[in-house]
Amino acid sequence: MKSIEQKVIKFISSHSLLSANDKILVALSGGPDSVFLLHFLKKYQKKFKIELAAFHLNHLIRKSADEEQGFCAKLCKKLSVPFHTEEFDVKSFAVKNKISVEEAGRLIRYVQLNKYAHKFNFNLIATAHNADDNAETVLLNLSKGTGIKGIAGIPVKRENIIRPLLCLRKNEILDYLKKNNIKFVIDESNLSEQYERNFLRMKIIPIIENKINPQFVNSVLTTSINLQSFNTYLNKILSEIEKKYVVETNEEVRIKINLFTEQENFIQTEIIRKALTEKFDFNPSQKDIRKIISLFDKQVGSIETFKQKLKALRERNSITIFSNKSLPEKSILIKVGESKRFDSGRMIISKVNSLDVKLTANKNVEFVDGELTGESFLIRKWKDGDKFHPFGMKGTKKLSDYLNDIKVETKEKRNQYVLISKNRIVWIVGKRLDERFKLRPETKTIYKLKLINE
């Protein structure tokens, strides 16, 4: 058994990466690292008692992309390994989402890997990251500002993803492939210094190794693994603290203001980082964290914007982080007898008789004079300048002032809908009726307005 193979076997064993009957989907690019990984796992398949398959993502970026896809297909056929592949326009995705091509490729690759793993019941995904990749990651994260998780580098194992080759240097892999006459493809983009990782690999790391520490990459790996263990311990502590200060819903994360008065800056930072990473899969830089913390000293309604279409909003008792999805500005037409969905739920307008009128404290149900409204209504978000005549009050009031008076949180205020008839507000949906449309003793036509939160 060759020493490089022994090294990987020992690494797998020491980190408990494989168990008997594991089903593994290998991320196969066709490059030297992933080709080595596939050959290695195939060679020791019986030893580990595992099932193998490979997945290749065609990024549709380079002219050679189709050739690489074909190479991977042939390699898998030769090794008798089931092969899966997908094509995806990574460049267009990157432009649309305003992220780098590198980041877009990473995001799409993991999404597709998990999709195929789930589809074919693979419990593990194996990627071919090596020790040099880890050193690049650590330096990249350090240069941009990051927390402990960032400088801990590439995890040996994260959920269903394993990285058996993190113990190997790139040159060890290349030497092995050359001695065993194993072919692979070269990704020409890896030779361009325009990409950050390539610049670190080709320029910065060699200087550090020549001038400071020849074992720099291996030293970084040892530190990374130690920090990953510490990070696991820290996460347990943070999870307990998080319960007190973080409230998560389907669409947002609310961080209670008292986090910033009761906890040290380090805890504040790590709680925010943990919440963003787990909820939005967004690894914030130190600059991003500072922007969120700065909202504590700003007035209610202040907003900070981040990559991946995220926003952080200062509210009275919290800082709310949410995805910046544009809400529909278009008005929704609804007629008597209809039911229409919109962001706040479902609106139902029905004609009823006087015996059906039951006035309660339920603000999601109102009754109006149909002779004053007509049979057609519009549902839309409120906008600056909107006025209405609040039920039970004299005169009109700006809707913005009314929402402030009843202490509506800023984010909820931005998402407030109104029901319109004949260019006049009939109902601040779920909150207050307009005095002008209330039932009168002489009312003959009655419409019931009902909001169902879904």
Side-chain angles (χ1 to χ4, degrees):
M1 186 185 295
K2 298 180 176 63
S3 60
I4 187 173
E5 294 173 355
Q6 291 175 325
K7 192 173 181 181
V8 178
I9 290 171
K10 184 178 179 181
F11 187 76
I12 290 172
S13 175
S14 63
H15 292 281
S16 303
L17 298 185
L18 295 177
S19 299
N21 302 315
D22 277 336
K23 294 182 67 176
I24 303 170
L25 184 63
V26 178
L28 181 65
S29 68
D33 303 330
S34 64
V35 167
F36 174 89
L37 177 60
L38 188 64
H39 272 274
F40 172 85
L41 291 176
K42 180 63 180 178
K43 182 173 181 178
Y44 293 99
Q45 184 172 4
K46 290 183 179 179
K47 171 183 171 59
F48 291 121
K49 299 177 182 177
I50 56 176
E51 186 177 330
L52 284 177
F55 171 82
H56 174 81
L57 178 67
N58 185 336
H59 294 68
L60 299 176
I61 295 177
R62 305 180 307 277
K63 293 179 180 179
S64 59
D66 291 342
E67 294 177 10
E68 292 170 3
Q69 189 176 25
F71 170 85
C72 290
K74 290 178 182 177
L75 174 62
C76 288
K77 185 177 180 180
K78 178 182 176 183
L79 296 177
S80 298
V81 173
F83 178 65
H84 306 283
T85 187
E86 188 88 30
E87 295 180 359
F88 202 102
D89 190 344
V90 171
K91 194 171 184 178
S92 295
F93 180 88
V95 171
K96 182 179 179 180
N97 291 276
K98 297 180 181 179
I99 57 178
S100 69
V101 173
E102 283 180 296
E103 179 65 10
R106 187 190 73 83
L107 289 172
I108 295 165
R109 185 163 56 253
Y110 282 113
V111 167
Q112 295 297 328
L113 280 165
N114 277 295
K115 183 180 85 171
Y116 276 84
H118 178 74
K119 183 177 180 180
F120 295 101
N121 297 313
F122 290 99
N123 66 306
L124 293 176
I125 293 170
T127 68
H129 293 93
N130 59 48
D132 294 76
D133 295 323
N134 181 68
E136 293 160 19
T137 297
V138 171
L139 287 176
L140 195 61
N141 288 338
L142 276 172
S143 67
K144 294 185 176 182
T146 186
I148 294 173
K149 184 178 179 181
I151 58 175
I154 301 173
V156 176
K157 183 174 185 178
R158 179 173 60 85
E159 296 177 349
N160 65 329
I161 300 171
I162 61 171
R163 293 163 175 120
L165 306 188
L166 272 179
C167 59
L168 299 182
R169 293 294 309 268
K170 182 77 169 186
N171 59 354
E172 291 180 287
I173 293 171
L174 291 172
D175 288 345
Y176 179 93
L177 295 175
K178 183 178 179 180
K179 289 176 181 176
N180 290 276
N181 197 28
I182 298 174
K183 295 181 180 179
F184 55 88
V185 295
I186 297 294
D187 180 350
E188 58 264 30
S189 67
N190 286 335
L191 305 176
S192 172
E193 291 181 15
Q194 74 178 60
Y195 296 109
E196 296 170 331
R197 284 183 172 278
N198 295 355
F199 177 73
L200 290 172
R201 182 176 66 252
M202 299 167 69
K203 295 291 184 179
I204 304 302
I205 292 177
I207 292 175
I208 296 175
E209 290 180 323
N210 288 332
K211 301 291 184 180
I212 302 174
N213 180 10
Q215 295 299 313
F216 171 73
V217 170
N218 290 328
S219 298
V220 170
L221 180 63
T222 300
T223 302
S224 292
I225 292 173
N226 289 335
L227 284 175
Q228 286 167 25
S229 296
F230 173 74
N231 200 47
T232 299
Y233 169 73
L234 177 63
N235 267 329
K236 290 179 181 178
I237 297 174
L238 291 175
S239 293
E240 288 302 311
I241 298 174
E242 187 179 38
K243 293 175 185 177
K244 182 179 178 181
Y245 299 105
V246 178
V247 178
E248 184 176 318
T249 67
N250 289 335
E251 298 179 352
E252 64 189 28
V253 170
R254 287 176 178 263
I255 300 172
K256 296 178 183 178
I257 286 300
N258 54 342
L259 170 68
F260 304 100
T261 58
E262 296 175 0
Q263 296 292 340
E264 296 295 327
N265 183 261
F266 173 76
I267 296 297
Q268 296 172 22
T269 297
E270 293 306 314
I271 287 290
I272 293 170
R273 190 186 310 282
K274 187 173 186 291
L276 288 178
T277 303
E278 293 178 355
K279 177 64 179 177
F280 302 107
D281 193 25
F282 172 52
N283 187 22
S285 66
Q286 285 299 109
K287 182 179 178 182
D288 294 328
I289 298 290
R290 286 196 297 271
K291 285 168 69 175
I292 292 174
I293 293 176
S294 72
L295 286 171
F296 171 69
D297 294 318
K298 294 183 179 179
Q299 64 182 16
V300 172
S302 299
I303 291 178
E304 293 288 355
T305 303
F306 307 91
K307 292 179 181 178
Q308 293 188 337
K309 299 182 179 179
L310 291 181
K311 284 191 175 182
L313 171 68
R314 175 63 157 97
E315 304 201 69
R316 284 185 178 84
N317 300 309
S318 68
I319 292 174
T320 301
I321 303 165
F322 58 97
S323 179
N324 182 28
K325 296 177 181 176
S326 57
L327 297 173
E329 300 291 340
K330 203 172 173 182
S331 297
I332 301 168
L333 175 64
I334 181 171
K335 296 182 179 181
V336 176
E338 291 184 338
S339 171
K340 291 287 180 75
R341 287 179 181 273
F342 64 110
D343 282 353
S344 293
R346 180 188 293 276
M347 174 81 73
I348 301 173
I349 301 181
S350 55
K351 186 176 181 179
V352 298
N353 59 49
S354 58
L355 296 176
D356 295 318
V357 176
K358 295 178 182 179
L359 301 178
T360 68
N362 185 357
K363 294 184 180 296
N364 286 345
V365 177
E366 294 289 356
F367 297 90
V368 296
D369 190 325
E371 294 171 16
L372 299 176
T373 63
E375 294 187 356
S376 295
F377 299 80
L378 290 175
I379 305 168
R380 67 162 171 81
K381 281 198 305 180
W382 78 282
K383 52 191 178 185
D384 288 338
D386 276 345
K387 293 181 180 180
F388 80 121
H389 187 165
F391 181 82
M393 295 178 63
K394 294 181 179 180
T396 60
K397 192 177 188 71
K398 282 186 178 181
L399 185 47
S400 58
D401 292 339
Y402 167 73
L403 294 174
N404 284 333
D405 289 346
I406 63 173
K407 294 182 168 32
V408 174
E409 290 280 11
T410 308
K411 185 171 184 292
E412 183 186 350
K413 185 195 303 182
R414 290 161 58 84
N415 297 334
Q416 179 63 52
Y417 279 80
V418 293
L419 185 68
I420 306 291
S421 174
K422 300 178 181 178
N423 293 319
R424 293 187 296 175
I425 292 176
V426 176
W427 186 27
I428 312 303
V429 178
K431 291 190 170 56
R432 197 152 184 174
L433 190 68
D434 189 292
E435 173 77 17
R436 294 167 292 184
F437 300 96
K438 70 179 183 180
L439 300 183
R440 302 165 295 162
E442 64 271 25
T443 297
K444 295 180 180 179
T445 304
I446 302 172
Y447 296 149
K448 178 182 180 181
L449 314 177
K450 184 174 183 180
L451 170 66
I452 299 176
N453 295 313
E454 295 183 335

